[in-house]
Amino acid sequence: IPSALANNKNRYTPTSYIGNLDEEKRTELLKALEDSKCVNMAYHANDPNVGMPIATNFDKFKMYVGDTGLMVTMAFWDKDYTENVIYEKLLSDKLNANLGYIYENVIAQMLTASGNKLFYHTWYKRLEDGSIDDKHMYEIDFILSRGHKVCPIEVKSSGYKRHVSLDNFCDKYSSRILNRYLIYTKDLSKEGPILYIPVYLTPFL
């Protein structure tokens, strides 16, 4: 089962798997899947602030596989068995593939195991004249509630440090920000207000 993105009805259509069901039945099936602990659900926080469940859009979500190892196996399952070289290259950072979805799944699994509810936030880019650019969207991968503030998290699958969405989010909600994190594959460091966290330190956030 790949990590499924379900930000809106146009991007995720389950009917090819479960047939045409009404909204109530689909919601029931998704809730059962979440309760099974096979997946970790991240819901869209319409108002990213303390008490995010109050302003959550439960029709807009991202679905992460609860077992990242299983997800890797199935993602590269193009024959009867997955060769060990796949895992060796993955662990040594030499696998020539887009690993962004894998690292995001890892972080989702770590945050959930640490007792966090998963929330994310998206919004459209605004142009200089104030109008909305509906072709470009920003996204914060995860948002943690800490005290009376929030901590936005952006996940990178490498040492890449570009963080346009994180900067834009913190400008937009500056009074609500406690800490801002970029989780990546390099060493712990701090540049300005952003703390760069290696993946393995995620449980300590």
Side-chain angles (χ1 to χ4, degrees):
I1 304 173
S3 180
L5 181 62
N7 282 337
N8 56 51
K9 293 179 181 178
N10 293 327
R11 297 179 66 179
Y12 177 69
T13 308
T15 53
S16 59
Y17 298 97
I18 61 176
N20 291 312
L21 300 175
D22 59 39
E23 192 66 30
E24 183 178 352
K25 186 60 177 179
R26 281 197 298 270
T27 300
E28 181 184 333
L29 289 174
L30 286 170
K31 184 60 180 174
L33 186 60
E34 182 179 13
D35 290 344
S36 73
K37 306 301 181 183
C38 292
V39 300
N40 297 314
M41 303 290 287
Y43 291 102
H44 189 275
N46 292 343
D47 182 22
N49 205 347
V50 176
M52 281 182 285
I54 298 174
T56 294
N57 183 351
F58 290 100
D59 292 326
K60 194 174 181 181
F61 59 88
K62 292 191 290 186
M63 187 185 300
Y64 297 98
V65 179
D67 185 334
T68 303
L70 175 62
M71 188 193 78
V72 170
T73 298
M74 298 189 75
F76 295 98
W77 196 355
D78 55 1
K79 52 187 128 184
D80 289 340
Y81 62 93
T82 303
E83 297 175 352
N84 287 334
V85 68
I86 293 292
Y87 304 105
E88 292 171 0
K89 287 185 176 292
L90 178 62
L91 293 172
S92 61
D93 199 24
K94 295 180 181 179
L95 187 61
N96 186 21
N98 181 4
L99 302 180
Y101 62 92
I102 292 178
Y103 278 95
E104 196 172 326
N105 203 95
V106 167
I107 301 307
Q109 188 175 356
M110 285 180 164
L111 291 174
T112 300
S114 299
N116 297 285
K117 297 292 185 181
L118 302 181
F119 298 96
Y120 72 105
H121 184 65
T122 59
W123 69 104
Y124 286 109
K125 178 180 180 180
R126 284 195 174 273
L127 301 175
E128 292 183 0
D129 62 3
S131 62
I132 293 177
D133 180 0
D134 58 7
K135 295 181 180 179
H136 295 89
M137 180 174 281
Y138 294 117
E139 179 175 346
I140 292 298
D141 297 316
F142 302 103
I143 306 171
L144 301 180
S145 177
R146 294 291 183 265
H148 63 287
K149 301 276 188 177
V150 296
C151 301
I153 297 174
E154 191 164 340
V155 180
K156 300 292 185 183
S157 61
S158 64
Y160 192 51
K161 288 188 174 182
R162 191 166 181 267
H163 40 74
V164 177
S165 291
L166 187 61
D167 291 341
N168 193 280
F169 180 88
C170 293
D171 288 342
K172 185 177 182 180
Y173 300 107
S174 57
S175 63
R176 306 178 182 185
I177 307 300
L178 176 62
N179 297 311
R180 56 196 78 180
Y181 301 113
L182 189 148
I183 300 177
Y184 70 153
T185 59
K186 301 299 181 182
D187 295 330
L188 178 68
S189 65
K190 192 173 191 297
E191 293 182 11
I194 299 177
L195 189 60
Y196 295 85
I197 301 286
V199 172
Y200 62 83
L201 287 182
T202 300
F204 299 99
L205 295 181

